[in-house]
Amino acid sequence: MKFISLSSGSSGNSLLVETNKTKILIDAGFSGKRLEYLLNDASVLPETIDAILVTHEHTDHVKGVGVMSRRYNIPVIANEETWLAMIKKIGPIRDENILIFKNDYDFTLRDLDIHPFSTFHDAANSCGFAVYNGKSKLSILTDTGAVNERIKRQIVGSDILFIESNHDPIMLMNGPYSPALKRRVASTKGHLSNLDCASTLEEVLSGNNEKVILAHLSNENNTAELALETVSDHLIDLGLDINRDISLTVADRSIISNRIEL
């Protein structure tokens, strides 16, 4: 299994998962033109994408879903509540390309076994994904304001963990957002802070060479350096060697990240 973050941040999100038999996008939160450009950078033809999985209906995750599906005849897979919430945003989709899953119920897509799990976000029915290919496991956890024991059970044991590290609380408090938006971001239906991310990692990492990617960083309320420093310092205090026990990187907000292969 191979994984690339095409881009991840408050302005747009799209992830690529590849095997020898399957290519899927998780979210498509950019224009069709931008997604084509990002896929080209990843040396992937858009017409080879087998499906687009959707975590939730917010624009930074679905902006290009409709155009990519129509242009390249790609099936779109989301839960029913997300479909109802996003259909006006993404436009008409061919009936045969409308596929529905239920959160917390497994489904299979070619050689990928996929477990969608519910998250805490101000969306219709947001979810993350645990994706399995043989013995390899990739977990996607962004756009959640809280992480409970149920979510931790879904992401523990991941070989690759793509996890939200959205904001620094001090930057958020002193930043340009309105008071209402600040409360929304910091709430349990908002986004994980850098320290929230670190605390979650504390409970799910084993130090068995997991590859951790910090994701969905806010452009206004975080920096890659601060996210990396906050999480690194926390894990080092726990005795983890971030140069030996795990790999820790940050997903770029605007360009593709390095391909990770298991």
Side-chain angles (χ1 to χ4, degrees), residues 135-167:
K135 295 182 179 179
S136 299
K137 179 180 180 181
L138 159 69
S139 292
I140 308 297
L141 177 61
T142 65
D143 297 83
T144 189
V147 180
N148 61 8
E149 294 303 316
R150 173 184 52 79
I151 292 177
K152 291 172 190 174
R153 288 195 298 271
Q154 302 305 325
I155 65 176
V156 72
S158 300
D159 300 289
I160 302 172
L161 179 51
F162 190 82
I163 184 170
E164 177 167 76
S165 191
N166 176 259
H167 62 278

Side-chain angles (χ1 to χ4, degrees), residues 21-253:
K21 297 180 180 179
T22 311
K23 293 183 178 71
I24 64 171
L25 292 180
I26 297 178
D27 292 333
F30 299 94
S31 68
K33 183 177 181 179
R34 179 65 181 169
L35 286 163
E36 290 168 344
Y37 174 85
L38 293 167
L39 286 168
N40 180 68
D41 271 3
S43 300
V44 171
L45 296 172
E47 55 266 32
T48 66
I49 299 297
D50 296 298
I52 302 171
L53 277 61
V54 180
T55 60
H56 66 293
E57 74 276 7
H58 289 169
T59 302
D60 59 324
H61 293 260
V62 303
K63 183 176 182 179
V65 167
V67 67
M68 293 295 285
S69 178
R70 290 186 290 274
R71 188 173 293 171
Y72 298 105
N73 195 31
I74 302 173
V76 179
I77 313 176
N79 61 49
E80 184 175 6
E81 294 84 357
T82 297
W83 267 111
L84 293 172
M86 75 176 174
I87 194 64
K88 289 184 179 179
K89 294 183 178 182
I90 68 174
I93 303 293
R94 294 180 184 177
D95 288 346
E96 63 270 23
N97 285 334
I98 297 174
L99 302 176
I100 297 174
F101 62 75
K102 290 185 178 181
N103 285 10
D104 303 308
Y105 286 85
D106 298 347
F107 64 95
T108 298
L109 184 61
R110 296 192 176 186
D111 59 344
L112 296 175
D113 295 315
I114 300 168
H115 182 82
F117 54 87
S118 298
T119 57
F120 298 92
H121 200 49
D122 56 351
N125 192 9
S126 60
C127 68
F129 294 105
V131 182
Y132 300 84
N133 175 241
K135 295 182 179 179
S136 299
K137 179 180 180 181
L138 159 69
S139 292
I140 308 297
L141 177 61
T142 65
D143 297 83
T144 189
V147 180
N148 61 8
E149 294 303 316
R150 173 184 52 79
I151 292 177
K152 291 172 190 174
R153 288 195 298 271
Q154 302 305 325
I155 65 176
V156 72
S158 300
D159 300 289
I160 302 172
L161 179 51
F162 190 82
I163 184 170
E164 177 167 76
S165 191
N166 176 259
H167 62 278
D168 173 75
I170 295 176
M171 286 186 69
L172 176 64
M173 180 178 63
N174 296 325
Y177 285 2
S178 68
L181 185 52
K182 290 177 182 180
R183 289 192 297 271
R184 178 250 173 188
V185 170
S187 76
T188 55
K189 292 287 188 178
H191 294 276
L192 296 182
S193 71
N194 295 335
L195 190 55
D196 292 332
C197 173
S199 298
T200 300
L201 291 173
E202 171 185 347
E203 297 196 45
V204 301
L205 292 179
S206 64
N208 190 28
N209 198 31
E210 295 103 325
K211 302 178 191 324
V212 179
I213 306 104
L214 307 182
H216 210 298
L217 272 67
S218 168
N219 189 47
E220 294 79 14
N221 305 306
N222 209 356
T223 67
E225 294 77 16
L226 183 54
L228 195 60
E229 179 184 13
T230 302
V231 175
S232 296
D233 287 351
H234 188 82
L235 296 180
I236 289 170
D237 286 345
L238 296 172
L240 282 174
D241 186 332
I242 61 169
N243 297 309
R244 183 192 63 196
D245 300 330
I246 66 167
S247 167
L248 185 63
T249 57
V250 178
D252 199 282
R253 283 190 287 258

